[in-house]
Amino acid sequence: EGYRQLLVASEQIFDVGFRRLADQPFDRLTNMLAQIPSLVRLKSHLTVSQLVNRYMKHDLIRQAFSIHPLLVGGNPFNTTSIYALIHFLEREWGVHFAMGGTGAVVNALRGLMERNGINIRLNTDIERINIDKRLAESVTTTEGEVIEADRVICNADPPTVYKQMIDKSAGTKGKIIPDAMTRYSMGLFVLYFGTTCTYPNVAHHTIWMGERYQALLHDIFNKKILAEDFSLYLHRPTATDASFAPAGMDSFYVLCPVPNTMGGQDWNEEGQALRDRIVAALDRTIMPGLKDTITSDFWMTPDDFKTDYRSMHGAGFSIAPVFTQSAWFRYHNRDRRVGNLYFSAAGAHPGAGMPGVLCSAKVVENLVIRDESTL
Ligand SMILES: Cc1cc2nc3c(=O)[nH]c(=O)nc-3n(C[C@H](O)[C@H](O)[C@H](O)COP(=O)(O)OP(=O)(O)OC[C@H]3O[C@@H](n4cnc5c(N)ncnc54)[C@H](O)[C@@H]3O)c2cc1C
């Protein structure tokens, strides 16, 4: 009964938070003010954990139904309950897997762009966005090439763009909350591996919970220490798509929330040790024999997110999805002062995850159409 009531609450949040607002620009304070009655009615000031606790009584059930903010980089104990909409979203539209994996999604998007005559340049790193008189005029690559532009739409991490790619004198303004008060999502340790046998009893998606819940999240998000214990998300794509491994074998990744680089961990030291602890824990529980069957493993740490993806502080999901960093308070999809500089990314409205970033692309599309029509 508690679950049914939670689902009703989740649907009400979904109707407002996703259907009505996710692809709307929050570029004006009036957009935000207009939503305040709905946000109050939906109790958005509560955290996901507080909302779930209203309907669920058992500690373990409470944990199971409050983990969803972690999928978008938030601590369930301080993420706005707007993110409880994920329950209903999953029930309404299902949990999907693109055959061929994320690479297949990327290829499909590339095909769509090419069919629309968009020229894609790979392996081109943008070092600077050149702004003059409140207009973004061009970008400069690390090779020194200057590419002129009528509009610059950034998919890179907004805090990194503002701090490292734009001159301070350009007068840009991305979000309301000052940098010193900005809270970042956790880091991710992602361990990829194959196995020389199959584990048919392991589902496509498994959440593997450790003994501690709130205290562990406190270590990761607030104290930023790497504890000995952990909770894991285990992904077994071969449960759905056999092409991910040779016949008779399996393919996996494990996602382990860890402190972002603000924790100062030395991942050259910690990486191997954490990998060994995770393999031992899975071997002991749901993947017997893993220590001997594991093959071709490699991992990514918050350091890699920082260097490879230029994610500020190596955060897995850009700035955290707390209330004071959501909607109008999040990085705006168009700079507040430089009118032809746009953001379609996890750190911009509405937020992280594939549905979130695709919605942010829709917001930018609408803004560009609006801006073109007022020229
Ligand atoms: C292991 C893992 C599993 C996930 N699983 C899911 C899932 O199942 N479902 C879901 O919805 N979400 C999932 N997510 C989250 C989702 O992938 C992200 O939220 C989303 O990809 C963020 O999109 P983005 O466009 O903002 O950033 P990204 O996807 O990181 O794209 C930004 C790109 O910009 C490039 N870039 C950055 N700076 C520059 C520069 N200066 N010049 C040139 N290029 C630059 C980066 O290299 C990167 O390729 C997962 C994330 C991880 C890490």
Side-chain angles (χ1 to χ4, degrees):
E1 185 51 33
Y3 174 67
R4 286 209 185 87
Q5 288 173 12
L6 174 65
L7 210 55
V8 169
S10 173
E11 181 174 2
Q12 288 166 350
I13 299 171
F14 174 84
D15 278 340
V16 176
F18 201 89
R19 281 201 215 277
R20 223 165 74 194
L21 301 180
D23 58 0
Q24 296 304 312
F26 272 86
D27 55 339
R28 298 183 186 139
L29 179 58
T30 46
N31 303 137
M32 187 77 197
L33 293 176
Q35 298 311 325
I36 285 184
S38 306
L39 296 174
V40 171
R41 188 166 41 81
L42 295 171
K43 303 187 178 59
S44 308
H45 57 282
L46 295 182
T47 65
V48 167
S49 159
Q50 286 167 335
L51 187 87
V52 168
N53 289 357
R54 289 185 160 201
Y55 302 107
M56 307 294 189
K57 297 289 167 256
H58 193 285
D59 254 4
L60 292 178
I61 301 287
R62 285 178 163 180
Q63 290 178 21
F65 283 94
S66 63
I67 55 164
H68 297 73
L70 288 162
L71 305 178
V72 289
N75 179 347
F77 292 92
N78 65 21
T79 297
T80 163
S81 60
I82 295 171
Y83 284 89
L85 66 78
I86 299 176
H87 286 292
F88 185 77
L89 185 146
E90 288 183 348
R91 289 294 297 257
E92 179 76 351
W93 289 328
V95 175
H96 296 268
F97 176 76
M99 298 303 272
T102 308
V105 177
V106 172
N107 284 337
L109 287 172
R110 186 187 62 192
L112 178 67
M113 291 169 82
E114 285 172 350
R115 285 196 299 282
N116 282 280
I118 295 170
N119 178 23
I120 304 169
R121 286 181 54 170
L122 298 175
N123 303 316
T124 307
D125 205 358
I126 303 302
E127 193 167 77
R128 298 213 68 72
I129 298 173
N130 307 307
I131 296 172
D132 189 34
K133 299 191 186 73
R134 304 235 162 141
L135 267 188
E137 296 190 322
S138 60
V139 295
T140 306
T141 70
T142 42
E143 305 290 308
E145 184 188 355
V146 175
I147 304 171
E148 294 190 352
D150 296 323
R151 299 176 191 282
V152 174
I153 300 174
C154 293
N155 178 225
D157 192 29
T160 306
V161 172
Y162 278 105
K163 279 218 177 80
Q164 299 172 9
M165 293 170 58
I166 296 177
D167 213 85
K168 271 207 176 74
S169 62
T172 48
K173 195 153 181 60
K175 69 171 172 41
I176 315 301
I177 303 290
D179 285 348
M181 290 167 67
T182 302
R183 285 196 264 172
Y184 287 85
S185 59
M186 75 286 194
L188 296 171
F189 179 84
V190 193
L191 171 64
Y192 298 85
F193 60 95
T195 52
T196 53
C197 66
T198 59
Y199 286 89
N201 292 334
V202 176
H204 189 136
H205 305 283
T206 303
I207 306 281
W208 189 101
M209 301 292 279
E211 291 281 308
R212 299 188 305 145
Y213 185 53
Q214 185 166 9
L216 176 63
L217 292 169
H218 187 62
D219 282 352
I220 296 170
F221 281 90
N222 305 334
K223 289 161 86 179
K224 297 198 167 36
I225 56 174
L226 181 63
E228 281 292 304
D229 58 339
F230 40 72
S231 286
L232 308 170
Y233 162 71
L234 176 64
H235 185 227
R236 178 174 168 250
T238 24
T240 305
D241 184 346
S243 73
F244 267 71
M249 301 186 181
D250 256 340
S251 157
F252 295 87
Y253 77 69
V254 162
L255 208 157
C256 177
V258 294
N260 60 38
T261 59
M262 293 167 101
Q265 280 76 23
D266 178 352
W267 283 105
N268 291 327
E269 289 270 315
E270 302 287 359
Q272 180 72 48
L274 182 55
R275 176 261 185 218
D276 292 347
R277 290 206 298 282
I278 290 172
V279 171
L282 292 174
D283 179 295
R284 216 170 39 238
T285 53
I286 56 174
M287 298 182 69
L290 178 63
K291 281 182 184 170
D292 299 319
T293 61
I294 189 167
T295 178
S296 311
D297 60 308
F298 63 95
W299 55 85
M300 286 183 72
T301 73
D303 284 350
D304 299 309
F305 280 78
K306 189 172 173 175
T307 49
D308 292 3
Y309 303 142
R310 292 210 190 180
S311 171
M312 182 60 76
H313 302 306
F317 304 87
S318 190
I319 59 172
V322 292
F323 186 76
T324 50
Q325 296 182 165
S326 296
W328 185 68
F329 297 113
R330 208 165 177 81
Y331 279 96
H332 287 206
N333 300 95
R334 181 183 48 201
D335 184 83
R336 297 173 65 215
R337 293 194 182 136
V338 175
N340 66 342
L341 175 61
Y342 304 83
F343 288 89
S344 165
H349 168 69
M354 297 273 267
V357 293
L358 290 176
C359 281
S360 87
K362 282 168 80 177
V363 175
V364 168
E365 183 189 15
N366 289 335
L367 284 171
V368 170
I369 291 170
R370 197 169 84 187
D371 293 349
E372 293 268 329
S373 69
T374 54
L375 276 182

